[in-house]
Structures are given as structure tokens and as C-alpha cells.
Amino acid sequence: MAKKTQKRMPRRREEFTYRGYSVADLQQMALSELLPLMPARARRKFDRGGLSREHEKLLADLRSGGDEQIRTHLRDMIIMPEMVGRTIEIHNGKEFQKVEIQPEAVFHYLGEFALTRRKVSHGSAGIGATRSSKYVPLK
């Protein structure tokens, strides 16, 4: 029985769209046009007070371009379409983690991509830590 080897075609990746709009379309829109597309929590943040001075400064740094690394503690910043493709270092409480903003991250928070907790891997119990370890010979 002879096997036929069939060459597979590479899988074509579709362009990302958010509610029917491509990232390029979203980047061209004004904030007033983006508001109806945002999820409720993000829309509420913009309706109630807009962006703070720190958030505006971060957006201005991103808009100015340049290849310098942008570091921020603003974990509550909503990812806008103009941030896509940029690398931002986000503080997780101990250090800055590099995060490249993907199109799928639009309208999420920066803090979602720099986790603040790590998996704990405990070692073995020391001598005297448990009742049974009292009887373990030291040599």
C-alpha cells in the first residue's frame, strides 16, 4: 500500500477586525467615533472624566514616535488603537515587563498583560517542619 504525500498549504492568517473595523480604520477614527465601539467599562471611563494628565502624557509620548522604550506605572490605561505595534514596559509591582501591543489587545487595560502574581513553587519541608521529620537522621 503506497502512501500519498500531500503537501499542505500554509494557513492564511486573516486580518484582525474589531466589530467590523480593521486596525487601520480604528486608528483613523476620532475619539467620538470610537466611543460607541468601546466596551461599557472603557466607555464609562471616558464619559465620566476622560483621561487624566498622566494618561494624556503617555499618549503624547506614544504619538511622538521614536524608538525609545516607554516605561509606565499606568496599569489602568486603556489600550487605544494608536498603540498597536508599540512595545511598552509596564510595571508589575517589582519590575517592568516588556509588552508588545497586539491588535487583539485594543480596549483592554495595560495591567492585564503584566501579571502581578507568579506561580509559587515551594521547596521540600525542612528538618523539624513536620512531626515525621523529627525522626530523619541528620547523617
Side-chain angles (χ1 to χ4, degrees), residues 2 11 29 31 34 45 49 52 98 104 106 111 121 123 133 136:
R11 195 167 190 176
M29 290 183 181
L31 183 61
L34 284 175
K45 181 173 185 170
S52 68
K98 283 188 179 182
E104 292 82 10
V106 172
S121 58
S133 68
V136 175

Side-chain angles (χ1 to χ4, degrees), residues 68-115:
E68 78 276 356
Q69 292 293 336
I70 295 177
R71 292 180 145 198
T72 184
H73 286 258
L74 297 175
R75 299 174 56 81
D76 63 338
M77 177 67 185
I78 294 172
I79 297 173
M80 302 302 288
E82 60 200 68
M83 296 181 184
V84 172
R86 299 296 306 265
T87 300
I88 301 175
E89 293 185 24
I90 306 166
H91 199 259
N92 69 354
K94 182 178 180 183
E95 60 195 12
F96 287 93
Q97 291 184 345
K98 283 188 179 182
V99 175
E100 184 178 346
I101 306 299
Q102 301 292 326
E104 292 82 10
V106 172
F107 301 132
H108 285 262
Y109 289 92
L110 285 178
E112 295 180 43
F113 303 100
L115 300 180

